[in-house]
Amino acid sequence: MSKTYVPADLRRLVFERAQDSCEYCLIPAALALAAHQMDHIIAEKHGGETVSENLALSCALCNLAKGSDIASIDPETNDTAKLYHPRRDQWSSHFQFEAQTGLIQPLSAIARATIRLLPINRPESLTERVILFRVGRLVIPAD
Amino acid sequence: MQITVDIPDDMARQLESLKDELPQILALGLLQVKANPSTGFSGLAEVLEFLATLPSPQETLALRLSDTAQAQIEALLEKNRVDGLTALEQRLWQQYEFVEHLVRMAKAQALLKLQEVA
């Protein structure tokens, strides 16, 4: 079991590009207990490479829930849907943040499948995002 | 292997609905008994002990996992990607998840406090 080495300058780029926040649930690294992870958007076992275009910043919880998956089921249609690809998909085309509830609302099949699989709207995460938004520490991706 | 043990009635009642999970429960218990308090997931107990000292907002925000516990998290993440987790490893991960959310809430509250005094 070997973990692929991600060079320091590439790690820095991934953190800076994501503004230090999980690119799936938006939780900042400073708020987490375990360190945020270098997520291979397309997992290495599916041929995904350790390059900028295939890396996203992910909290440990989202990273485990995603595992090596690249697609899941859209709970609305029961059809297979690709998971959100932070490098290719525009966040605002797929998700909308509700400041009052902390919910990240889906706008597409990709978003519905991703929100369900990870799961981005855990009850605990909602409270965390509401507080973070109030203190101006939640980064909503601007495409 | 079959074993027979005498247990109190109230524990027997609690175990009634968990019969199928008994081997996992025993495995987890064994892990706790054998755990070195300074290593492994029992390291998470240190997080709870830290929070019980009512740390300042700054101290709370600076809280991170020990290197040992962080390495275990990363090993589980890698195992999950390659082979998947065993039922026992999934239980360990659930323990970590609980503490992760607890700390995130403590840190969020610390941020609120710092903003109130600013």
Side-chain angles (χ1 to χ4, degrees):
Chain A
M1 194 167 70
S2 67
K3 196 171 174 357
T4 299
Y5 173 71
V6 180
D9 54 345
L10 188 51
R11 289 179 64 86
R12 205 174 309 118
L13 181 149
V14 172
F15 268 92
E16 283 175 7
R17 184 172 57 192
Q19 296 184 70
D20 292 334
S21 299
C22 173
E23 296 190 65
Y24 299 103
C25 73
L26 309 184
I27 292 298
L31 202 81
L33 174 63
H36 275 23
Q37 301 291 309
M38 294 287 116
D39 172 56
H40 282 77
I41 302 167
I42 307 295
E44 291 173 285
K45 80 175 188 187
H46 299 306
E49 294 179 57
T50 306
V51 294
S52 162
E53 273 308 292
N54 190 43
L55 291 176
L57 190 63
S58 162
C59 73
L61 301 186
C62 286
N63 198 249
L64 183 104
K66 180 169 171 279
S68 58
D69 294 352
I70 51 178
S72 188
I73 300 295
D74 170 4
E76 197 170 291
T77 62
N78 283 328
D79 290 335
T80 304
K82 283 192 299 183
L83 295 180
Y84 170 63
H85 190 307
R87 303 282 74 80
R88 293 180 192 158
D89 300 323
Q90 275 198 328
W91 194 87
S92 58
S93 301
H94 295 279
F95 304 99
Q96 196 166 38
F97 176 64
E98 271 186 14
Q100 281 195 324
T101 60
L103 279 168
I104 292 178
Q105 295 286 10
L107 304 175
S108 66
I110 283 180
R112 286 191 296 271
T114 308
I115 285 172
R116 181 185 152 277
L117 182 74
L118 290 196
I120 286 173
N121 286 326
R122 293 180 176 90
E124 300 91 339
S125 303
L126 305 189
T127 317
E128 292 157 10
R129 282 196 292 261
V130 166
I131 296 176
L132 284 168
F133 185 77
R134 272 176 61 188
V135 298
R137 292 290 292 271
L138 192 71
V139 179
I140 313 292
D143 299 314
Chain B
M1 184 177 85
Q2 282 198 333
I3 53 170
T4 306
V5 287
D6 288 323
I7 55 171
D9 290 348
D10 59 336
M11 191 189 286
R13 278 192 293 274
Q14 289 180 55
L15 283 176
E16 187 61 31
S17 60
L18 298 167
K19 271 186 210 158
D20 296 342
E21 295 179 58
L22 264 177
Q24 280 177 41
I25 293 169
L26 280 172
L28 271 175
L30 198 60
L31 208 69
Q32 290 289 333
V33 170
K34 288 162 67 181
N36 175 341
S38 64
T39 61
F41 277 87
S42 57
L44 292 176
E46 292 170 12
V47 172
L48 298 178
E49 283 166 16
F50 168 80
L51 292 176
T53 64
L54 301 180
S56 69
Q58 290 86 349
E59 287 169 333
T60 304
L61 288 169
L63 178 61
R64 286 284 181 276
L65 276 184
S66 68
D67 289 346
T68 313
Q70 180 67 42
Q72 281 195 309
I73 294 294
E74 306 218 350
L76 281 175
L77 287 170
E78 183 67 6
K79 170 113 189 331
N80 177 57
R81 275 189 290 269
V82 179
D83 303 320
L85 299 184
T86 64
L88 180 61
E89 288 164 339
Q90 282 173 15
R91 288 280 184 122
L92 288 172
W93 185 266
Q94 283 167 5
Q95 288 176 2
Y96 152 68
E97 261 194 21
F98 171 74
V99 179
E100 173 69 45
H101 280 300
L102 201 69
V103 170
R104 288 182 179 189
M105 274 309 294
K107 289 190 177 200
Q109 294 295 342
L111 284 172
L112 266 181
K113 273 197 179 159
L114 286 175
Q115 196 187 53
E116 281 164 12
V117 275

